[in-house]
């Protein structure tokens, strides 16, 4: 099977490269830029892609690679930082740009080239750099630039080394996928042989080899991620899996009943329900800092799991439905990336827990996970549930958490989702939810003055959770949701709608 190696320099978009490559049905792996040259050589990749990254090649001790990589005879594509590094190592010159270029730009094609087949001149590309090429490397020619005369695409056909100053992997670059396809199929001539069936077979074998005769515990939340992970593990090891559903006190309205009903209807998994809501709420009392809340929920989750794990014989592993966006927003996954926010189920487990971690979905995006679920024969009602954060309503209640606030938000959120489902909008939305704000406003109900909570509705469209745009819901639908929440949820007298996109805002408020 053909395989591509992506060398990561810490870009937040590295896994988007992998996802685009997989969409072209080509197998790929992401390795950190710190991997030794000999190991890279032994991998025998048909092509190598160098990712972007947050560093500058002009900085002291900036990430680099062994120059022998360029003599392997393997086609190489550098993206953003990867382009600048190639230039620096191959005799070119990089300078700090007078004007940082971030966002949309127009690509001007200077020369016809296989890499740019089917790419329109003046097509939109997504730039993100503070440095630029002053002098191109030895043997290179410029085949594309931006309207600001920035060297955007360079090529060295003799060595089959190519580089882009923009990011072809993000959807903001209109012909980005064409460029990647041209590099892989036209230039490298790899064959499209990889699919989700292969991923299932590969992961099942990996899980079997790792687990052996031991037992695995999975934290089942009822969301898409943990559900797909559970069914994949069930396929791999069957009765060696026990699913534990912990009520952490910050779940959606009657989620504990819904989850048990769904799984008992469709599957014969070993499912154990644990109500630890009081324990979680007690630990969260008086805490308003979002990072502290996430960490408290994570620690309490581990504490409860540790307790339950001791009751299961041969339990040696804890499985989680961690996805790649969770990982790259938390900590450097492969390369030297920058932390955005921590996730309660990312980063490994303390030794005292006595369980090793299994994360079979760790390198997948949400859309890939849903496709995996379909391949596993899961019903659409499970696959198409909107994402729900691990810390639950804990990061949708801004400020300190109380049982009263949880009940308010549960009811408001249920009303919003019910109306969105009835209107036919649910399947058109990536994620919809309500946030309880830490402010109160004056209102009038009947002839009485009220001073109550404010709720915000958030609805976004996304492909992978890395970027998102707010959805312009019909005003009639928003009006109905607002009216019902204000009239039916005692304690909320004002509803607002969030019209920010990601970036600059994240999808969740905390």
């Amino acid at each position: 099977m053909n395989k591509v190696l992506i060398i990561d320099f810490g870009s937040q978009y590295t896994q988007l490269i992998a996802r685009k490559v997989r969409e072209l049905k080509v197998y790929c792996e992401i390795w950190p830029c710190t991997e030794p040259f000999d190991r890279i050589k032994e991998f025998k990749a048909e092509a190598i892609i160098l990712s972007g990254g947050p560093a500058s090649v002009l900085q002291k001790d900036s990430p680099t690679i062994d120059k022998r990589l360029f003599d392997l005879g393997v086609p190489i594509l550098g993206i953003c930082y990867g382009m600048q590094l190639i230039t620096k190592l191959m005799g070119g010159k990089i300078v700090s740009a007078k004007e940082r270029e971030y966002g949309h730009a127009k690509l001007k094609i200077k020369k016809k080239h296989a890499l740019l087949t089917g790419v329109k001149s003046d097509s939109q590309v997504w730039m993100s750099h503070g440095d630029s090429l002053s002098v191109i490397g030895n043997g290179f020619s410029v085949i594309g630039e931006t309207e600001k005369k920035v060297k955007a695409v360079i090529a060295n056909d003799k060595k089959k080394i190519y580089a882009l100053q923009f990011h072809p992997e993000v959807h903001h670059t209109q012909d980005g996928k064409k460029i990647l396809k041209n590099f892989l199929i036209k230039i490298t001539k790899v064959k499209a042989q990889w699919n989700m069936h292969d991923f299932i077979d590969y992961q099942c074998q990996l899980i079997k080899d790792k687990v052996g005769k031991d037992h695995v515990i999975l934290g089942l939340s009822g969301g898409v991620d943990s559900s797909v992970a559970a069914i994949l593990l069930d396929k791999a090891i069957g009765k060696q899996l026990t699913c534990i559903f912990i009520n952490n006190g910050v779940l959606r309205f009657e989620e504990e009943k819904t989850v048990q009903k769904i799984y008992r209807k469709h599957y014969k998994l070993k499912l154990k329900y644990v109500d630890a809501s009081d324990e979680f709420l007690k630990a969260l009392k008086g805490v308003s800092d979002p990072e502290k809340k996430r960490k408290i929920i994570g620690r309490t989750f581990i504490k409860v799991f540790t307790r339950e794990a001791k009751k299961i014989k041969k339990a040696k592993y804890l499985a989680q439905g961690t996805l790649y966006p969770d990982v790259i927003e938390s900590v450097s996954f492969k390369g030297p990336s920058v932390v955005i926010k921590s996730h309660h189920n990312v980063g490994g487990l303390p030794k005292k827990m006595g369980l090793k971690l299994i994360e079979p979905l760790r390198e997948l995006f949400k859309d890939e996970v849903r496709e995996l679920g379909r391949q596993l024969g899961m019903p659409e009602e499970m696959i198409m549930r909107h994402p729900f954060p691990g810390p639950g309503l804990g990061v949708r209640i801004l400020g300190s958490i109380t049982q009263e606030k949880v009940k308010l938000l549960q009811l408001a959120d249920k009303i919003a989702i019910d109306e969105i489902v009835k209107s036919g909008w649910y399947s058109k939305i990536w994620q919809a939810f309500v946030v309880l704000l830490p402010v109160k406003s004056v209102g009038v109900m009947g002839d009485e003055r009220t001073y109550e909570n404010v709720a915000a509705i958030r609805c976004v469209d996304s492909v992978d959770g890395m970027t998102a745009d707010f959805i312009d819901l019909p005003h009639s639908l928003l009006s109905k949701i607002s009216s019902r929440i204000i009239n039916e949820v005692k304690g909320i007298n004002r509803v607002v709608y969030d019209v920010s996109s990601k970036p600059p805002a994240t999808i969740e408020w905390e």
Side-chain angles (χ1 to χ4, degrees):
M1 180 175 66
N2 292 170
K3 52 189 179 182
V4 171
L5 179 62
I6 300 169
I7 297 179
D8 180 34
F9 292 92
S11 171
Q12 298 295 330
Y13 302 132
T14 298
Q15 189 66 7
L16 288 179
I17 303 172
R19 195 170 71 80
K20 293 297 183 184
V21 172
R22 291 175 195 161
E23 286 176 2
L24 295 169
K25 301 188 184 305
V26 176
Y27 178 76
C28 63
E29 291 186 17
I30 300 173
W31 288 13
C33 57
T34 52
E35 286 291 337
F37 171 76
D38 289 342
R39 185 160 182 258
I40 292 174
K41 184 178 178 180
E42 289 170 5
F43 184 70
K44 295 182 178 179
E46 268 70 37
I48 294 173
I49 299 176
L50 308 182
S51 83
S56 165
V57 296
L58 301 175
Q59 294 173 350
K60 185 181 179 181
D61 300 323
S62 58
T64 189
I65 50 173
D66 195 309
K67 288 177 66 174
R68 290 178 291 173
L69 195 74
F70 303 135
D71 297 321
L72 289 176
V74 177
I76 295 173
L77 177 67
I79 297 173
C80 199
Y81 182 90
M83 177 192 203
Q84 295 162 8
L85 184 60
I86 287 172
T87 300
K88 178 184 176 182
L89 296 177
M90 295 192 73
K93 184 180 179 182
I94 302 296
V95 295
S96 182
K98 292 181 180 179
E99 183 180 344
R100 176 177 168 82
E101 196 168 21
Y102 180 83
H104 303 297
K106 294 292 184 181
L107 177 65
K108 305 285 186 179
I109 297 175
K110 293 191 68 178
K111 294 180 182 179
K112 286 187 177 181
H113 194 279
L115 185 65
L116 301 178
T117 300
V119 177
K120 297 177 182 178
S121 196
D122 287 332
S123 66
Q124 179 180 283
V125 295
W126 182 260
M127 306 288 274
S128 178
H129 66 99
D131 299 331
S132 60
L133 278 65
S134 173
V135 179
I136 58 176
N138 298 325
F140 285 88
S141 62
V142 178
I143 61 175
E145 61 183 23
T146 68
E147 70 269 35
K148 293 183 179 180
K149 303 298 181 181
V150 172
K151 299 174 180 66
V153 190
I154 59 174
N156 183 328
D157 291 316
K158 185 177 180 180
K159 283 187 169 289
K160 290 189 176 181
I161 300 176
Y162 310 90
L164 311 169
Q165 185 58 79
F166 54 86
H167 289 273
E169 69 273 25
V170 302
H171 77 271
H172 303 290
T173 297
Q174 291 174 337
D175 292 321
K177 193 171 180 179
K178 285 182 183 178
I179 294 172
L180 290 172
K181 185 177 181 179
N182 289 337
F183 172 69
L184 294 172
I185 309 301
K186 286 186 175 292
I187 294 174
T188 306
K189 300 190 185 304
V190 299
K191 295 179 180 179
Q193 299 173 323
W194 186 82
N195 54 53
M196 199 55 75
H197 281 297
D198 291 337
F199 179 83
I200 292 172
D201 293 340
Y202 171 75
Q203 279 295 332
C204 283
Q205 191 58 55
L206 203 67
I207 292 165
K208 288 177 183 177
D209 293 343
K210 187 172 185 177
V211 173
K213 295 181 180 179
D214 292 321
H215 210 90
V216 178
I217 304 170
L218 181 136
L220 188 65
S221 68
V224 178
D225 310 337
S226 66
S227 297
V228 173
I231 304 309
L232 180 61
L233 282 156
D234 182 57
K235 180 179 177 65
I237 56 175
K239 294 180 180 179
Q240 291 171 255
L241 172 69
T242 297
C243 294
I244 300 178
F245 175 40
I246 292 180
N247 185 345
N248 61 9
V250 283
L251 299 176
R252 286 173 283 203
F253 183 79
E254 295 188 344
E255 183 77 350
E256 66 279 8
K257 297 178 182 177
T258 303
V259 170
Q260 293 183 74
K261 182 180 178 181
I262 289 175
Y263 281 90
R264 304 208 189 278
K265 176 183 177 182
H266 294 287
Y267 298 100
K268 295 182 179 179
L269 297 172
K270 291 182 183 177
L271 177 60
K272 183 176 182 180
Y273 171 67
V274 179
D275 186 357
S277 54
D278 289 342
E279 192 171 346
F280 277 84
L281 291 174
K282 184 178 179 181
L284 289 165
K285 186 177 180 180
V287 179
S288 58
D289 180 83
E291 280 295 289
K292 288 182 180 179
K293 287 194 288 186
R294 285 176 176 273
K295 289 174 181 177
I296 287 171
I297 291 170
R299 285 197 300 268
T300 309
F301 172 81
I302 290 172
K303 180 182 176 182
V304 174
F305 248 97
T306 302
R307 191 166 63 226
E308 296 302 321
K310 292 177 181 178
K311 302 175 185 177
I312 300 173
K313 295 180 180 179
K314 292 187 177 181
K316 295 288 180 67
Y317 295 91
L318 171 65
Q320 295 182 160
T322 309
L323 302 193
Y324 191 73
D326 298 335
V327 177
I328 59 178
E329 286 190 340
S330 297
V331 70
S332 175
F333 170 51
K334 299 285 188 181
S337 60
V338 179
V339 174
I340 296 174
K341 62 183 178 182
S342 65
H343 285 255
H344 84 290
N345 58 344
V346 177
L349 302 168
K351 291 181 181 180
K352 65 180 181 180
M353 189 173 184
L355 297 175
K356 298 175 183 177
L357 192 61
I358 292 180
E359 295 174 307
L361 313 180
R362 187 179 173 92
E363 297 192 18
L364 298 183
F365 281 88
K366 182 72 73 174
D367 58 323
E368 292 179 307
V369 171
R370 287 193 166 118
E371 176 58 28
L372 176 59
R374 291 189 182 96
Q375 295 292 335
L376 289 167
M378 295 174 64
E380 284 294 307
E381 65 177 299
M382 295 172 69
I383 295 171
M384 294 311 295
R385 290 195 82 186
H386 287 184
F388 188 66
L393 302 183
V395 291
R396 293 179 182 174
I397 297 173
L398 276 59
S400 61
I401 299 170
T402 65
Q403 195 167 48
E404 180 186 8
K405 290 180 182 178
V406 172
K407 288 180 178 179
L408 283 179
L409 184 53
Q410 284 177 333
L411 290 171
D413 189 70
K414 181 181 185 300
I415 289 170
I417 297 301
D418 283 351
E419 290 300 329
I420 288 170
V421 169
K422 282 192 289 185
S423 69
W425 271 88
Y426 188 83
S427 61
K428 303 173 188 177
I429 296 173
W430 162 268
Q431 194 169 2
F433 56 93
V434 177
V435 178
L436 191 65
L437 305 185
V439 294
K440 290 188 175 183
S441 72
V442 174
V444 178
M445 290 188 178
D447 293 323
E448 294 184 7
R449 174 186 183 276
T450 62
Y451 188 58
E452 295 177 337
N453 297 279
V454 179
I457 301 171
R458 177 85 159 131
C459 298
V460 298
D461 183 31
S462 180
V463 173
D464 46 45
M466 295 301 298
T467 60
D469 294 316
F470 74 88
I471 288 180
D472 190 10
L473 283 186
H475 289 189
S476 58
L477 176 56
L478 286 173
S479 177
K480 191 169 186 179
I481 293 171
S482 174
S483 179
R484 280 198 60 194
I485 289 175
I486 292 171
N487 283 292
E488 297 176 33
V489 183
K490 189 176 181 180
I492 295 177
N493 70 353
R494 190 180 299 271
V495 175
V496 298
Y497 191 60
D498 184 347
V499 293
S500 52
S501 295
K502 175 184 180 180
T506 53
I507 294 177
E508 296 290 343
W509 279 46
E510 289 191 337

